Amino acid sequence: MPITKTIARIVLVMDELLTLAEAHERDELAHYRMLAFSFLTHDTRVSRLMASLGIQCEMRLETLDWLAQELGLPPRTLRQPQPHRNSAHLAGQRVFIGDQDMASDEMNQAVDRAAYSLNFYENLMNASAMPALTPVLTAIIKQKRTEHDVLLEYCDGYKGHLRTAASA
């Protein structure tokens, strides 16, 4: 196989992996922003946590953009995240957390989603034979593991004890 064909395939694979990671991270960013907004009236501490996790998503998007540029791939600009896939479903419903049960459900879903995200990046790392991606994916996996642990600890520590915004 000619060397140019091999290089073209490697570039295509790296671009595809980065595109997958970018799309996943944009979805995570939109989700954390939605949760930060939703928890605003129920528990400002959780709202700040979700906003902070959203900022971490923005930083990972910048890292992915930097990596693409370093690899000579087409530049990725930090576009606005796509609306959350449930936004049409939420349009006719309350967006704010209204009670303890809703808060607990949202926190449990956030933990499950963080576990999924960690698994996503571990699978992405396993699918990648590209040494250039390894340090970035390793760092993201470490961040995602921490993210999951923080959400799990927060969820367990405050299960049934989430405070309202007035008492925060």
Side-chain angles (χ1 to χ4, degrees), residues 78-99:
L78 281 178
R79 298 168 297 218
Q80 289 296 325
Q82 298 300 313
H84 189 263
R85 64 177 148 251
N86 292 329
S87 60
H89 175 68
L90 292 174
Q93 297 180 357
R94 295 177 300 181
V95 176
F96 292 111
I97 303 297
D99 59 36

